[in-house]
Amino acid sequence: IVYIDKGCKDGIETGDKFRTYAVDDHAVPNGVIQVISCRDHTATAIILNSTAPISPGNIFAKLEKN
């Protein structure tokens, strides 16, 4: 489980999937999460897969729905 600092009022919906990125000198993809609960300005997501730990400070980008 991870918590993100964006929520329903930011356009996030339950079921949305995001690719996560570890950021140091470069943004490196490190996993995929899916939102399971959404509040106004925060959301809860489960980690669907990861290639490295998903940590505070990682950034995320929405995956397009198929």
Side-chain angles (χ1 to χ4, degrees), residues 1-60:
I1 298 288
V2 294
Y3 302 97
I4 56 178
D5 60 355
K6 300 290 181 193
C8 298
K9 288 194 174 185
D10 301 299
I12 290 177
E13 298 177 353
T14 299
D16 285 350
K17 291 182 183 179
F18 295 88
R19 175 151 328 276
T20 59
Y21 298 87
V23 179
D24 195 8
D25 290 335
H26 305 311
V28 178
N30 65 345
V32 174
I33 61 174
Q34 184 172 22
V35 175
I36 58 171
S37 176
C38 190
R39 296 189 180 253
D40 286 350
H41 299 288
T42 61
T44 305
I46 58 171
I47 299 170
L48 297 178
N49 64 58
S50 65
T51 56
I54 297 172
S55 304
N58 286 172
I59 59 173
F60 56 93

